[in-house]
């Protein structure tokens, strides 16, 4: 029974990977991320607005809890000893505006689990600030 189950598993892996080479059976090949924008599900808009086809590690039951269309919406690690060394990552980027350089500027950090340290103190923020947007109420 165990041999038959193993044979069936190997056959299924060969079919899904389109290869009989076990090196082609890495889990991340079967668990590609599909982060689709509501209007970017197909064609050129998919290429411009969505992140798809990204081979990823993890399962719903592992430290990197992720599936084809599900994953952490944010990662935040608070460093209580030094708040300026806290980590904050979001899946896409700082801007929701397609075409902006910040539309997906955090994606690969989030995807690869690399840290972006978030400044909390005024001094730390002043060191890394690149832009300032001031919003004023209309008269």
């Amino acid at each position: 029974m165990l041999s038959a189950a193993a044979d069936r598993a190997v056959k299924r892996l060969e079919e899904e990977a389109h290869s009989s080479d076990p090196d082609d059976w890495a889990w991340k090949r079967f668990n590609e991320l599909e982060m689709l924008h509501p209007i970017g599900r197909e064609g050129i808009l998919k290429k411009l607005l969505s992140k798809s086809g990204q081979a990823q590690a993890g399962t719903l039951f592992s430290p990197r809890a992720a599936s084809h269309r599900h994953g952490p919406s944010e990662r935040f690690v608070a460093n209580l000893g030094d708040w300026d060394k806290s980590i904050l990552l979001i899946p896409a980027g700082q801007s929701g505006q397609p075409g902006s350089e910040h539309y997906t500027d955090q994606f690969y950090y989030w995807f690869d689990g690399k840290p972006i340290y978030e400044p909390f103190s005024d001094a730390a923020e002043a060191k890394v600030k690149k832009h300032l947007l001031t919003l004023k109420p209309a008269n």
Side-chain angles (χ1 to χ4, degrees):
M1 182 172 90
L2 291 176
S3 292
D7 290 343
R8 285 181 59 196
V10 167
K11 183 176 171 96
R12 184 170 176 189
L13 285 167
E14 289 174 343
E15 289 170 359
E16 289 191 29
H18 305 292
S19 172
S20 60
D21 184 355
D23 289 338
D24 294 332
W25 301 347
W27 170 249
K28 64 184 180 180
R29 289 201 52 207
F30 302 102
N31 191 32
E32 291 183 337
L33 176 68
E34 290 291 322
M35 192 178 343
L36 301 175
H37 188 279
I39 64 169
R41 296 185 176 275
E42 294 186 19
I44 190 74
L45 289 178
K46 181 177 181 181
K47 188 171 185 131
L48 293 173
L49 302 175
S50 298
K51 284 291 189 186
S52 65
Q54 304 286 325
Q56 64 180 347
T59 70
L60 289 175
F61 310 104
S62 67
R64 177 165 165 61
S67 71
H68 192 60
R69 289 199 168 105
H70 174 271
S73 62
E74 177 182 296
R75 291 192 180 109
F76 178 68
V77 179
N79 184 335
L80 302 180
D82 184 354
W83 282 98
D84 292 327
K85 297 261 173 68
S86 296
I87 298 168
L88 176 65
L89 294 170
I90 55 177
Q94 288 289 330
S95 172
Q97 180 181 354
S100 164
E101 66 182 292
H102 303 294
Y103 184 63
T104 58
D105 63 350
Q106 289 191 18
F107 176 76
Y108 288 103
Y109 290 92
W110 172 84
F111 189 75
D112 294 336
K114 295 178 181 174
I116 294 178
Y117 296 100
E118 193 67 32
F120 276 82
S121 68
D122 291 339
E125 186 179 334
K127 288 179 185 177
V128 298
K129 180 171 41 178
K130 294 180 183 175
H131 307 284
L132 176 64
L133 174 64
T134 304
L135 303 175
K136 295 181 180 181
N139 293 334

